[in-house]
Amino acid sequence: MKYFSLPELHRTSQPEFQGNVLNVPLGQERKNLVTLVECVLDPLRERWGSPIIVTSGYRCPLLNRKVGGVPTSYHMKGQAADIRAKNLRNGDLYALIKRMYMEGKFGITECYIDERRGYIHIAFDAAENSVWLFIENS
């Protein structure tokens, strides 16, 4: 984990939940976060060349419900992060993610940009037998 730390991948950016929900990944969720960083986020940050901000990473089931996440969210497994470019060039960062996938650098389970909320959702499941990609620009 070169560019990201575990604490930044399990804190919430929503102030109303900070300190009110114990949101600490254990066991497999923690391992999944490390895999997400090593296989997707660090290579992406390396290629991007400037900081990437994690706005949401791991979410325990309670936090996931409180923020309106879907019941099957990859966030609860430690396999997803919502990110944004520090310089707010999310469209360019999103395009880089698509290019990196096309070049076969990594396989992504889900990826979409939410321009209304200003983040890119990216999920990775290393256990998938066949890697597939879902990219949607909302």
Side-chain angles (χ1 to χ4, degrees):
M1 295 182 52
K2 184 175 179 182
Y3 297 105
F4 299 90
S5 68
L6 282 176
E8 76 182 298
L9 287 160
H10 64 80
R11 72 173 173 249
T12 178
S13 62
Q14 298 184 342
E16 65 270 28
F17 303 119
Q18 291 173 356
N20 296 327
V21 176
L22 183 59
N23 187 52
V24 179
L26 303 171
Q28 191 60 50
E29 290 84 6
R30 187 180 182 95
K31 290 177 186 174
N32 290 343
L33 281 174
V34 171
T35 301
L36 174 67
V37 170
E38 290 176 348
C39 293
V40 179
L41 297 179
D42 270 352
L44 178 60
R45 166 58 178 86
E46 185 79 29
R47 187 88 176 262
W48 181 243
S50 63
I52 293 172
I53 308 300
V54 177
T55 61
S56 181
Y58 171 74
R59 294 184 202 145
C60 67
L62 175 60
L63 180 60
N64 192 63
R65 277 193 307 278
K66 287 184 175 279
V67 300
V70 298
T72 57
S73 174
Y74 280 96
H75 287 278
M76 293 189 303
K77 300 175 192 175
Q79 296 175 319
D82 296 338
I83 61 174
R84 68 175 178 81
K86 186 174 183 181
N87 55 13
L88 302 178
R89 291 177 29 226
N90 286 341
D92 293 341
L93 181 58
Y94 181 73
L96 175 60
I97 293 167
K98 290 196 301 186
R99 277 196 315 276
M100 286 178 71
Y101 176 76
M102 298 295 243
E103 294 169 3
K105 299 289 183 203
F106 56 84
I108 300 174
T109 304
E110 299 177 332
C111 186
Y112 59 85
I113 186 169
D114 188 324
E115 292 175 1
R116 265 179 327 144
R117 296 188 183 117
Y119 68 82
I120 299 166
H121 170 84
I122 191 163
F124 177 72
D125 184 350
E128 289 285 317
N129 289 333
S130 58
V131 175
W132 56 279
L133 174 71
F134 171 71
I135 288 185
E136 175 184 290
N137 193 352
S138 57

